[in-house]
Amino acid sequence: MYFISPDQKFPPVELADEDGFLAVTRELSIDRILEAYHLGIFPWYSEGQPVLWWSPDPRMVLFPEELKVSKSMRPYLNQNKFQITFNQDFEAVIDHCGKVFRKGQDGTWITPEIKRSYMELHRMGIAISAEVWDDNNLVGGLYGIYLREKKLFCGESMFANVSNASKFGFIEMVRKLQEEGIQLIDCQVYTDHLASLGAREISREEFLGYLK
């Protein structure tokens, strides 16, 4: 683990430990966040901690052409059982994501500092969101960092208040990004939920190749 002062660059990601933990900083500046994503690094920490930076190996990713739509999800999509919007209420999405209970996690990693930073990135057009609606009620959504020049979307978090809302939003976001020529979606770490949608693990080295 490396402590980095504001004027220092990140160490090589190969120096991360077996869990992917790489470095610590005191600050969460916009420049630092953008530097991180372009190097295959992301922040993940809880309130009261310093900023912890990670680069796991292997890396969970989705190639858009490998997206899996289960039979149970097809009626939701074919019959438009939900409505989808993009970048219409980024703040509400990040707020809802911050309230999701995650097994083995004490509290939320979406701290006030994280929210302020990603709201600014949203204003810059770098952080984007998808919102899932049932009538006028926000029932699901997700957000992440869109590295357009790399044709890569880094998913950060998703939520669902009703069954299948997050899957609906994820599928629609993937389809939209695929139309825009995206080549890879970074899902960071393995979950059964993401695997059911077609995501799989690749080596960190292979993942970094998409950022070069």
Side-chain angles (χ1 to χ4, degrees):
M1 181 270 290
Y2 296 83
F3 178 80
I4 307 172
S5 62
D7 60 342
Q8 290 180 308
K9 298 293 186 181
F10 283 107
V13 294
E14 291 78 13
L15 297 178
D17 69 16
E18 62 181 11
D19 295 320
F21 180 35
L22 177 64
V24 176
T25 62
R26 294 190 185 280
E27 88 293 349
L28 188 72
S29 68
I30 297 300
D31 287 344
R32 179 67 80 185
I33 294 172
L34 293 177
E35 176 195 4
Y37 280 99
H38 282 87
L39 294 173
I41 302 165
F42 58 86
W44 185 27
Y45 63 103
S46 298
E47 192 167 5
Q49 293 181 318
V51 185
L52 310 181
W53 301 90
W54 305 77
S55 183
D57 185 17
R59 192 82 167 216
M60 190 73 164
V61 302
L62 174 72
F63 294 92
E65 64 274 15
E66 296 180 5
L67 175 68
K68 292 181 181 177
V69 180
S70 65
K71 289 182 179 179
S72 62
M73 279 303 301
R74 290 172 190 167
Y76 286 85
L77 297 157
N78 295 337
Q79 300 170 26
N80 295 316
K81 291 192 175 183
F82 297 122
Q83 299 80 51
I84 186 79
T85 59
F86 300 99
N87 299 312
Q88 294 301 302
D89 203 339
F90 183 92
E91 184 171 14
V93 170
I94 198 170
D95 282 344
H96 278 281
C97 287
K99 298 173 183 175
V100 174
F101 171 77
R102 303 183 195 281
K103 187 177 180 180
Q105 182 175 309
D106 184 16
T108 179
W109 74 273
I110 303 177
T111 66
E113 187 178 32
I114 284 279
K115 179 181 174 180
R116 285 193 299 271
S117 297
Y118 283 75
M119 286 293 295
E120 179 59 28
L121 288 164
H122 176 63
R123 285 187 282 270
M124 295 167 64
I126 298 170
I128 64 172
S129 63
E131 302 87 23
V132 180
W133 307 87
D134 186 3
D135 292 329
N136 293 319
N137 299 311
L138 183 64
V139 295
L142 66 144
Y143 75 95
I145 298 294
Y146 194 179
L147 302 180
R148 288 175 172 81
E149 73 281 7
K150 303 294 184 181
K151 297 182 179 179
L152 195 150
F153 175 72
C154 305
E156 282 300 314
S157 191
M158 64 176 71
F159 82 95
N161 290 338
V162 300
S163 179
N164 291 318
S166 62
K167 283 187 177 181
F168 185 95
F170 184 82
I171 292 167
E172 292 288 13
M173 175 71 94
V174 171
R175 288 175 170 177
K176 177 179 185 295
L177 294 172
Q178 189 171 21
E179 290 176 358
E180 296 177 10
I182 203 84
Q183 61 177 346
L184 190 67
I185 293 169
D186 174 24
C187 302
Q188 299 179 346
V189 295
Y190 181 92
T191 68
D192 291 338
H193 179 67
L194 290 167
S196 73
L197 290 162
R200 58 184 171 92
E201 292 180 321
I202 62 173
S203 70
R204 180 170 55 208
E205 182 180 7
E206 183 180 353
F207 173 72
L208 294 177
Y210 289 90
L211 290 168
K212 294 178 181 178

